[in-house]
């Protein structure tokens, strides 16, 4: 997957990646911090709560990743 934005990338466990593409230990990003999934005419950023489902799902992914360590 990696999901990339202008400022950061995350791996499949939602760990933030450094400039070389290696995960930064202990640093995770979810929701809009993990990348701009929304922002097109179909998914405007101005609708409150639009990314909540994404936050819940990615929070679950991070929880599983942290618990497995």
């Amino acid at each position: 997957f990696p999901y990339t934005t202008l400022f950061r990338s995350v791996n499949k466990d939602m760990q933030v990646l450094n400039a070389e593409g290696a995960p930064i230990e202990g640093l995770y990003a979810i929701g809009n911090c993990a990348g701009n999934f929304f922002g097109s005419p179909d998914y405007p950023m101005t609708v409150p709560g639009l990314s909540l489902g994404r936050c819940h799902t990615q929070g679950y992914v991070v929880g599983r990743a942290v618990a497995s360590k």
Side-chain angles (χ1 to χ4, degrees):
F1 147 134
Y3 187 77
T4 306
T5 66
L6 180 60
F7 300 109
R8 67 191 132 270
S9 297
V10 294
N11 65 11
K12 66 179 180 64
D13 292 327
M14 306 309 296
Q15 285 181 286
V16 176
L17 305 177
N18 65 20
E20 290 76 40
I24 300 171
E25 189 63 34
L27 183 59
Y28 297 85
I30 65 169
N32 292 337
C33 293
N36 187 10
F37 180 77
F38 300 107
S40 71
D42 294 330
Y43 295 100
M45 294 295 290
T46 57
V47 178
L50 190 60
S51 64
L52 288 178
R54 183 171 172 231
C55 292
H56 290 217
T57 302
Q58 292 173 344
Y60 176 79
V61 169
V62 169
R64 287 183 56 116
V66 170
S68 71
K69 293 186 178 207

